[in-house]
Amino acid sequence: MNPARPLRPALLNFAYWPEVRRGNERLVHDLGTELARRGGSPSILTSHPGPSARTVEDGVEVIRRRRPPESPLRLRKIQPNLTHVPLSYGELCRGDFDLAHSFFPTDALAGTRWGAATGRPALFTITGIMGRENVANLRFRKRILEAATTRSDAVVTISRAAGDAVWRWLAIEPRVIYPGVDLSHFVPRERAERPTIACASDPGDKRKRVDLLVRAFSLVRGERPEAELLLMRPSDPALARELEGKDGVRLLAADADTAPEMLATAWVSALCSLREAFGLVLVESLACGTPVVAARDGALPEIVDRPEVGTLFDGDDDRQVAAALLEALELAGDASTADACRERAGDFSSEATAAAHENLYRELIADAD
Protein backbone atom coordinates (compact mmCIF):
# COMPACT_ATOMS: atom_id res chain seq x y z
CA MET A 1 0.00 0.00 0.00
CA ASN A 2 1.22 3.50 -0.83
CA PRO A 3 1.54 5.25 2.59
CA ALA A 4 0.54 8.56 0.98
CA ARG A 5 -2.79 7.18 -0.20
CA PRO A 6 -5.72 7.69 2.18
CA LEU A 7 -6.89 4.60 4.01
CA ARG A 8 -9.92 2.99 2.39
CA PRO A 9 -11.56 0.66 4.93
CA ALA A 10 -14.91 -1.03 4.42
CA LEU A 11 -17.02 -0.88 7.60
CA LEU A 12 -19.62 -3.67 7.65
CA ASN A 13 -22.76 -3.93 9.75
CA PHE A 14 -26.08 -5.55 8.85
CA ALA A 15 -28.04 -2.33 9.57
CA TYR A 16 -27.34 1.39 9.66
CA TRP A 17 -28.99 4.76 10.25
CA PRO A 18 -31.80 5.73 10.03
CA GLU A 19 -33.29 2.21 10.10
CA VAL A 20 -31.54 1.30 13.36
CA ARG A 21 -29.82 3.65 15.82
CA ARG A 22 -28.38 1.40 18.49
CA GLY A 23 -24.84 0.74 19.66
CA ASN A 24 -23.32 -0.88 16.56
CA GLU A 25 -24.83 1.64 14.19
CA ARG A 26 -23.61 4.52 16.34
CA LEU A 27 -20.08 3.09 16.48
CA VAL A 28 -19.96 2.60 12.70
CA HIS A 29 -21.31 6.10 12.04
CA ASP A 30 -18.97 7.86 14.45
CA LEU A 31 -15.88 5.94 13.35
CA GLY A 32 -16.66 6.42 9.66
CA THR A 33 -17.24 10.16 9.93
CA GLU A 34 -14.12 10.70 12.04
CA LEU A 35 -11.95 8.64 9.66
CA ALA A 36 -13.29 10.75 6.78
CA ARG A 37 -12.62 13.95 8.70
CA ARG A 38 -9.02 12.80 9.20
CA GLY A 39 -8.55 12.36 5.45
CA GLY A 40 -9.51 8.71 5.05
CA SER A 41 -11.95 7.30 2.50
CA PRO A 42 -14.15 4.83 4.39
CA SER A 43 -17.25 3.13 3.01
CA ILE A 44 -20.08 1.65 5.06
CA LEU A 45 -21.47 -1.63 3.65
CA THR A 46 -24.89 -2.46 5.03
CA SER A 47 -28.38 -3.69 4.16
CA HIS A 48 -31.94 -2.43 4.49
CA PRO A 49 -35.49 -3.36 3.43
CA GLY A 50 -35.57 -0.90 0.52
CA PRO A 51 -33.92 -0.92 -2.90
CA SER A 52 -30.15 -0.99 -3.19
CA ALA A 53 -28.54 2.45 -3.16
CA ARG A 54 -25.26 4.35 -2.87
CA THR A 55 -25.22 7.66 -1.02
CA VAL A 56 -22.78 9.98 0.70
CA GLU A 57 -23.84 10.78 4.27
CA ASP A 58 -21.82 12.97 6.64
CA GLY A 59 -18.91 12.70 4.21
CA VAL A 60 -18.96 8.87 4.12
CA GLU A 61 -20.01 6.60 1.26
CA VAL A 62 -22.88 4.35 2.37
CA ILE A 63 -23.67 1.28 0.23
CA ARG A 64 -27.02 -0.27 1.07
CA ARG A 65 -28.10 -3.57 -0.48
CA ARG A 66 -31.69 -4.77 -0.34
CA ARG A 67 -31.97 -7.23 2.55
CA PRO A 68 -33.53 -10.56 1.53
CA PRO A 69 -36.32 -11.86 3.84
CA GLU A 70 -35.17 -13.32 7.16
CA SER A 71 -38.41 -14.76 8.51
CA PRO A 72 -37.42 -18.39 7.72
CA LEU A 73 -34.31 -17.99 9.88
CA ARG A 74 -36.20 -16.43 12.76
CA LEU A 75 -38.91 -19.11 12.70
CA ARG A 76 -36.22 -21.78 13.07
CA LYS A 77 -34.31 -19.79 15.73
CA ILE A 78 -31.26 -19.63 13.48
CA GLN A 79 -28.86 -16.72 13.88
CA PRO A 80 -30.53 -13.85 11.98
CA ASN A 81 -28.87 -11.16 9.86
CA LEU A 82 -27.41 -13.74 7.51
CA THR A 83 -29.30 -13.19 4.26
CA HIS A 84 -27.36 -10.06 3.29
CA VAL A 85 -23.94 -11.68 3.73
CA PRO A 86 -23.46 -12.80 0.09
CA LEU A 87 -24.43 -9.31 -1.08
CA SER A 88 -21.91 -7.66 1.23
CA TYR A 89 -19.25 -10.10 0.02
CA GLY A 90 -20.06 -9.12 -3.55
CA GLU A 91 -19.68 -5.42 -2.73
CA LEU A 92 -16.32 -6.09 -1.12
CA CYS A 93 -15.16 -7.90 -4.26
CA ARG A 94 -16.32 -5.04 -6.48
CA GLY A 95 -14.63 -2.36 -4.39
CA ASP A 96 -11.02 -1.31 -3.96
CA PHE A 97 -10.78 -1.61 -0.19
CA ASP A 98 -7.66 -1.85 1.94
CA LEU A 99 -9.38 -3.98 4.56
CA ALA A 100 -12.75 -5.17 5.84
CA HIS A 101 -13.79 -4.15 9.34
CA SER A 102 -16.94 -5.93 10.57
CA PHE A 103 -19.07 -5.03 13.56
CA PHE A 104 -21.37 -8.08 13.64
CA PRO A 105 -20.48 -11.79 13.49
CA THR A 106 -22.38 -12.51 10.28
CA ASP A 107 -20.75 -9.56 8.53
CA ALA A 108 -17.39 -10.95 9.58
CA LEU A 109 -18.19 -14.06 7.53
CA ALA A 110 -18.21 -11.86 4.43
CA GLY A 111 -15.16 -9.89 5.55
CA THR A 112 -12.97 -12.89 6.36
CA ARG A 113 -13.93 -14.75 3.17
CA TRP A 114 -13.02 -11.65 1.14
CA GLY A 115 -9.76 -11.34 3.10
CA ALA A 116 -8.84 -14.96 2.38
CA ALA A 117 -9.59 -14.47 -1.33
CA THR A 118 -7.66 -11.21 -1.72
CA GLY A 119 -4.92 -11.47 0.89
CA ARG A 120 -6.12 -8.24 2.49
CA PRO A 121 -6.80 -7.86 6.22
CA ALA A 122 -10.13 -8.54 7.89
CA LEU A 123 -10.87 -7.54 11.46
CA PHE A 124 -13.89 -7.98 13.70
CA THR A 125 -15.08 -5.72 16.51
CA ILE A 126 -17.22 -7.41 19.17
CA THR A 127 -19.52 -4.78 20.63
CA GLY A 128 -21.16 -6.77 23.45
CA ILE A 129 -20.16 -8.86 26.44
CA MET A 130 -20.24 -12.57 25.68
CA GLY A 131 -22.30 -14.77 27.98
CA ARG A 132 -24.42 -17.88 27.75
CA GLU A 133 -27.52 -15.80 27.12
CA ASN A 134 -26.10 -14.33 23.90
CA VAL A 135 -23.68 -17.01 22.72
CA ALA A 136 -25.77 -20.18 22.98
CA ASN A 137 -29.22 -18.66 22.48
CA LEU A 138 -29.54 -19.22 18.71
CA ARG A 139 -28.72 -22.08 16.36
CA PHE A 140 -25.29 -21.72 14.73
CA ARG A 141 -24.50 -18.55 16.69
CA LYS A 142 -21.50 -19.94 18.55
CA ARG A 143 -20.20 -21.57 15.36
CA ILE A 144 -20.48 -18.22 13.55
CA LEU A 145 -18.72 -16.42 16.41
CA GLU A 146 -15.89 -18.94 16.35
CA ALA A 147 -15.50 -18.56 12.59
CA ALA A 148 -15.64 -14.76 12.78
CA THR A 149 -12.96 -14.58 15.45
CA THR A 150 -10.56 -17.33 14.38
CA ARG A 151 -10.52 -16.24 10.72
CA SER A 152 -10.03 -12.52 11.44
CA ASP A 153 -6.58 -10.99 11.40
CA ALA A 154 -7.48 -9.06 14.53
CA VAL A 155 -10.34 -9.10 17.04
CA VAL A 156 -11.25 -5.89 18.86
CA THR A 157 -13.47 -5.32 21.89
CA ILE A 158 -14.73 -1.99 23.21
CA SER A 159 -13.63 -2.55 26.81
CA ARG A 160 -11.44 -4.75 28.98
CA ALA A 161 -14.54 -6.35 30.49
CA ALA A 162 -15.75 -7.37 27.03
CA GLY A 163 -12.26 -8.63 26.19
CA ASP A 164 -12.17 -10.82 29.31
CA ALA A 165 -15.45 -12.42 28.24
CA VAL A 166 -14.06 -13.19 24.76
CA TRP A 167 -11.10 -14.90 26.38
CA ARG A 168 -13.36 -16.97 28.66
CA TRP A 169 -15.64 -18.12 25.85
CA LEU A 170 -13.33 -18.37 22.84
CA ALA A 171 -9.79 -18.36 24.28
CA ILE A 172 -8.89 -15.39 22.08
CA GLU A 173 -7.12 -12.35 23.49
CA PRO A 174 -8.52 -9.32 21.68
CA ARG A 175 -7.30 -5.76 21.44
CA VAL A 176 -9.25 -3.06 23.25
CA ILE A 177 -10.24 0.18 21.51
CA TYR A 178 -12.75 2.28 23.41
CA PRO A 179 -15.55 4.02 21.49
CA GLY A 180 -15.20 7.77 21.13
CA VAL A 181 -17.34 10.79 21.94
CA ASP A 182 -17.52 14.00 19.92
CA LEU A 183 -16.29 16.58 22.42
CA SER A 184 -17.56 19.40 20.20
CA HIS A 185 -21.12 18.03 20.27
CA PHE A 186 -21.37 17.17 23.95
CA VAL A 187 -20.35 20.34 25.79
CA PRO A 188 -21.07 21.95 29.17
CA ARG A 189 -24.09 24.26 29.44
CA GLU A 190 -25.91 26.12 32.17
CA ARG A 191 -27.31 23.74 34.78
CA ALA A 192 -30.99 23.42 35.65
CA GLU A 193 -32.04 25.40 38.73
CA ARG A 194 -33.43 22.29 40.42
CA PRO A 195 -31.20 19.30 41.31
CA THR A 196 -31.80 17.16 38.24
CA ILE A 197 -30.91 13.53 37.54
CA ALA A 198 -30.96 12.41 33.90
CA CYS A 199 -31.12 8.92 32.42
CA ALA A 200 -30.84 8.54 28.64
CA SER A 201 -31.62 4.79 28.68
CA ASP A 202 -34.78 3.29 27.24
CA PRO A 203 -37.13 2.67 30.20
CA GLY A 204 -38.63 -0.27 28.29
CA ASP A 205 -35.30 -2.14 28.17
CA LYS A 206 -35.25 -4.29 31.31
CA ARG A 207 -31.47 -4.66 31.16
CA LYS A 208 -31.13 -0.91 31.74
CA ARG A 209 -32.93 -1.26 35.11
CA VAL A 210 -34.63 2.14 34.89
CA ASP A 211 -37.22 0.79 37.34
CA LEU A 212 -34.44 0.53 39.95
CA LEU A 213 -33.49 4.15 39.30
CA VAL A 214 -37.11 5.28 39.66
CA ARG A 215 -37.47 3.49 43.00
CA ALA A 216 -34.20 4.97 44.24
CA PHE A 217 -35.26 8.43 43.09
CA SER A 218 -38.32 8.25 45.32
CA LEU A 219 -35.91 7.89 48.27
CA VAL A 220 -33.81 10.78 46.97
CA ARG A 221 -36.93 12.95 47.01
CA GLY A 222 -37.16 12.30 50.74
CA GLU A 223 -33.84 14.12 51.17
CA ARG A 224 -34.11 16.51 48.22
CA PRO A 225 -37.86 17.11 47.63
CA GLU A 226 -37.13 19.60 44.86
CA ALA A 227 -35.18 17.00 42.82
CA GLU A 228 -36.32 16.01 39.33
CA LEU A 229 -35.72 12.85 37.28
CA LEU A 230 -35.53 13.17 33.48
CA LEU A 231 -36.26 10.03 31.45
CA MET A 232 -36.66 9.25 27.78
CA ARG A 233 -40.30 8.67 26.83
CA PRO A 234 -40.81 4.93 26.27
CA SER A 235 -42.62 3.62 23.20
CA ASP A 236 -45.06 1.70 25.41
CA PRO A 237 -47.95 4.11 26.23
CA ALA A 238 -48.86 2.20 29.40
CA LEU A 239 -45.32 2.47 30.74
CA ALA A 240 -45.22 6.16 29.82
CA ARG A 241 -48.43 6.81 31.79
CA GLU A 242 -47.04 4.89 34.77
CA LEU A 243 -43.83 6.92 34.80
CA GLU A 244 -45.65 10.21 34.36
CA GLY A 245 -47.59 9.41 37.50
CA LYS A 246 -44.41 9.37 39.60
CA ASP A 247 -43.64 12.50 41.62
CA GLY A 248 -40.76 14.48 40.17
CA VAL A 249 -40.44 12.36 37.00
CA ARG A 250 -40.50 14.11 33.62
CA LEU A 251 -40.40 12.38 30.24
CA LEU A 252 -38.57 13.81 27.22
CA ALA A 253 -38.83 12.97 23.54
CA ALA A 254 -36.60 10.01 22.71
CA ASP A 255 -34.55 11.29 19.77
CA ALA A 256 -30.92 11.93 18.90
CA ASP A 257 -31.18 15.68 19.58
CA THR A 258 -32.45 15.29 23.14
CA ALA A 259 -29.44 13.67 24.81
CA PRO A 260 -26.83 16.48 24.57
CA GLU A 261 -29.07 19.10 26.18
CA MET A 262 -30.52 16.61 28.66
CA LEU A 263 -27.08 15.52 29.90
CA ALA A 264 -25.61 19.02 29.90
CA THR A 265 -28.36 20.70 31.91
CA ALA A 266 -28.65 17.87 34.47
CA TRP A 267 -26.70 17.87 37.69
CA VAL A 268 -26.11 14.11 37.51
CA SER A 269 -26.72 11.35 34.98
CA ALA A 270 -27.33 7.72 35.90
CA LEU A 271 -26.88 4.34 34.22
CA CYS A 272 -28.06 1.32 36.23
CA SER A 273 -27.43 -1.29 33.51
CA LEU A 274 -25.84 -4.67 33.98
CA ARG A 275 -23.41 -6.25 31.49
CA GLU A 276 -22.66 -3.05 29.61
CA ALA A 277 -19.83 -3.61 27.15
CA PHE A 278 -18.91 0.08 27.43
CA GLY A 279 -21.47 2.74 28.44
CA LEU A 280 -21.04 5.56 25.94
CA VAL A 281 -23.78 7.65 27.56
CA LEU A 282 -21.57 7.99 30.65
CA VAL A 283 -18.75 9.43 28.56
CA GLU A 284 -21.21 11.78 26.84
CA SER A 285 -22.34 12.97 30.27
CA LEU A 286 -18.76 13.52 31.40
CA ALA A 287 -18.07 15.48 28.22
CA CYS A 288 -20.92 17.78 29.29
CA GLY A 289 -19.18 18.25 32.65
CA THR A 290 -21.90 16.22 34.38
CA PRO A 291 -20.89 13.64 37.04
CA VAL A 292 -22.35 10.15 36.78
CA VAL A 293 -23.79 7.31 38.84
CA ALA A 294 -23.35 3.77 37.52
CA ALA A 295 -23.52 0.13 38.52
CA ARG A 296 -20.25 -1.51 39.47
CA ASP A 297 -20.64 -4.03 36.67
CA GLY A 298 -19.38 -4.75 33.18
CA ALA A 299 -17.24 -1.98 31.70
CA LEU A 300 -18.78 0.88 33.69
CA PRO A 301 -15.99 0.96 36.33
CA GLU A 302 -13.50 1.43 33.49
CA ILE A 303 -15.13 4.80 32.83
CA VAL A 304 -15.96 5.87 36.38
CA ASP A 305 -12.46 5.15 37.65
CA ARG A 306 -12.05 8.07 40.06
CA PRO A 307 -14.27 9.70 42.70
CA GLU A 308 -13.97 13.14 41.10
CA VAL A 309 -16.27 12.16 38.21
CA GLY A 310 -18.96 10.06 39.82
CA THR A 311 -20.11 7.25 42.07
CA LEU A 312 -20.53 3.50 41.62
CA PHE A 313 -23.04 1.30 43.45
CA ASP A 314 -23.32 -2.45 43.96
CA GLY A 315 -26.30 -4.75 43.65
CA ASP A 316 -29.93 -3.79 43.29
CA ASP A 317 -30.72 -2.23 46.67
CA ASP A 318 -32.76 0.97 46.20
CA ARG A 319 -31.05 2.53 49.20
CA GLN A 320 -27.56 2.03 47.82
CA VAL A 321 -28.56 3.58 44.51
CA ALA A 322 -30.22 6.50 46.32
CA ALA A 323 -27.08 7.04 48.42
CA ALA A 324 -24.96 7.11 45.26
CA LEU A 325 -27.32 9.63 43.64
CA LEU A 326 -27.25 11.91 46.70
CA GLU A 327 -23.45 11.72 46.81
CA ALA A 328 -23.25 12.64 43.13
CA LEU A 329 -25.63 15.58 43.62
CA GLU A 330 -23.23 16.89 46.26
CA LEU A 331 -20.32 16.31 43.89
CA ALA A 332 -22.11 18.36 41.23
CA GLY A 333 -21.95 21.35 43.56
CA ASP A 334 -18.14 21.32 43.58
CA ALA A 335 -16.75 23.93 41.20
CA SER A 336 -13.93 21.61 40.06
CA THR A 337 -16.20 18.69 39.13
CA ALA A 338 -17.12 19.87 35.63
CA ASP A 339 -13.45 20.26 34.70
CA ALA A 340 -12.61 16.81 36.09
CA CYS A 341 -15.47 15.24 34.14
CA ARG A 342 -14.52 16.98 30.93
CA GLU A 343 -10.88 15.92 31.36
CA ARG A 344 -11.89 12.28 31.85
CA ALA A 345 -14.10 12.39 28.74
CA GLY A 346 -11.06 13.56 26.80
CA ASP A 347 -9.56 10.10 27.30
CA PHE A 348 -12.37 8.77 25.09
CA SER A 349 -12.40 11.38 22.33
CA SER A 350 -13.51 10.41 18.83
CA GLU A 351 -10.11 11.58 17.59
CA ALA A 352 -8.32 9.14 19.88
CA THR A 353 -10.60 6.30 18.83
CA ALA A 354 -10.10 6.96 15.12
CA ALA A 355 -6.33 7.26 15.57
CA ALA A 356 -6.21 3.92 17.38
CA HIS A 357 -8.14 2.29 14.52
CA GLU A 358 -5.90 3.90 11.90
CA ASN A 359 -2.81 2.56 13.68
CA LEU A 360 -4.31 -0.93 13.78
CA TYR A 361 -5.36 -0.74 10.11
CA ARG A 362 -1.85 0.26 9.02
CA GLU A 363 -0.28 -2.47 11.15
CA LEU A 364 -2.51 -5.15 9.59
CA ILE A 365 -1.94 -3.83 6.08
CA ALA A 366 1.82 -3.84 6.61
CA ASP A 367 1.68 -7.42 7.90
CA ALA A 368 -0.31 -8.46 4.82
CA ASP A 369 2.09 -6.86 2.31
Side-chain angles (χ1 to χ4, degrees):
M1 175 188 171
N2 181 351
R5 185 167 68 85
L7 283 172
R8 181 157 168 70
L11 310 180
L12 289 80
N13 195 60
F14 68 91
Y16 188 60
W17 292 4
E19 181 193 6
V20 181
R21 286 181 177 267
R22 289 193 292 269
N24 276 29
E25 295 74 29
R26 172 72 179 278
L27 290 176
V28 171
H29 171 273
D30 291 356
L31 177 59
T33 54
E34 184 61 28
L35 289 172
R37 192 191 68 80
R38 293 168 62 88
S41 185
S43 294
I44 295 171
L45 274 57
T46 187
S47 67
H48 73 157
S52 298
R54 289 173 181 262
T55 60
V56 176
E57 302 170 21
D58 297 326
V60 180
E61 180 185 46
V62 181
I63 303 172
R64 293 182 175 89
R65 294 301 304 262
R66 179 186 285 275
R67 184 183 307 134
E70 295 196 308
S71 52
L73 301 180
R74 298 183 187 278
L75 287 172
R76 292 165 176 79
K77 295 186 177 181
I78 296 174
Q79 167 69 60
N81 307 313
L82 270 169
T83 58
H84 73 288
V85 170
L87 304 177
S88 293
Y89 174 73
E91 288 294 342
L92 284 171
C93 293
R94 281 187 286 272
D96 181 24
F97 302 109
D98 296 321
L99 56 89
H101 184 178
S102 303
F103 290 78
F104 198 77
T106 56
D107 292 276
L109 298 180
T112 54
R113 182 182 175 187
W114 171 82
T118 62
R120 297 178 189 178
L123 64 152
F124 172 37
T125 290
I126 300 172
T127 57
I129 291 185
M130 286 187 177
R132 186 173 300 280
E133 70 282 355
N134 60 10
V135 170
N137 59 333
L138 293 166
R139 294 170 65 189
F140 306 122
R141 178 158 176 81
K142 190 168 188 291
R143 188 183 305 177
I144 290 171
L145 278 168
E146 289 172 339
T149 51
T150 58
R151 297 173 187 173
S152 292
D153 296 288
V155 175
V156 176
T157 59
I158 59 175
S159 66
R160 294 193 301 273
D164 291 343
V166 171
W167 173 254
R168 286 195 301 273
W169 275 91
L170 301 176
I172 290 174
E173 188 169 353
R175 310 196 189 203
V176 175
I177 300 179
Y178 290 113
V181 63
D182 185 347
L183 296 176
S184 66
H185 187 57
F186 290 88
V187 296
R189 305 186 191 187
E190 185 176 353
R191 300 291 177 204
E193 292 185 5
R194 301 173 64 183
T196 305
I197 299 165
C199 177
S201 301
D202 177 5
D205 185 344
K206 293 187 180 300
R207 188 175 60 87
K208 301 296 184 179
R209 301 200 298 175
V210 176
D211 57 333
L212 173 61
L213 175 61
V214 171
R215 295 196 304 270
F217 175 70
S218 68
L219 300 177
V220 170
R221 290 266 291 183
E223 298 287 332
R224 305 289 294 267
E226 75 281 20
E228 186 174 52
L229 176 62
L230 303 182
L231 300 176
M232 295 294 191
R233 180 175 293 277
S235 57
D236 181 356
L239 179 56
R241 288 193 297 271
E242 178 186 341
L243 292 172
E244 286 176 327
K246 305 286 186 181
D247 289 340
V249 174
R250 183 156 59 94
L251 302 184
L252 303 178
D255 59 53
D257 297 327
T258 301
E261 182 175 0
M262 177 188 189
L263 296 174
T265 57
W267 290 28
V268 171
S269 75
L271 182 62
C272 297
S273 305
L274 298 176
R275 297 188 60 78
E276 285 283 353
F278 182 60
L280 185 59
V281 68
L282 294 183
V283 179
E284 292 170 344
S285 178
L286 295 177
C288 294
T290 303
V292 298
V293 169
R296 196 186 308 273
D297 188 83
L300 304 186
E302 297 178 43
I303 300 171
V304 191
D305 67 340
R306 61 201 69 175
E308 294 83 4
V309 302
T311 308
L312 297 170
F313 66 87
D314 296 289
D316 56 2
D317 188 324
D318 304 357
R319 294 167 296 180
Q320 287 196 29
V321 181
L325 292 169
L326 288 167
E327 183 178 337
L329 287 172
E330 291 297 323
L331 182 63
D334 189 319
S336 65
T337 296
D339 289 339
C341 291
R342 183 77 175 170
E343 180 181 356
R344 178 59 177 149
D347 296 333
F348 304 100
S349 70
S350 54
E351 292 89 346
T353 296
H357 280 98
E358 284 179 345
N359 290 338
L360 177 56
Y361 293 167
R362 294 189 186 279
E363 176 188 330
L364 295 176
I365 291 168
D367 289 344
D369 286 343

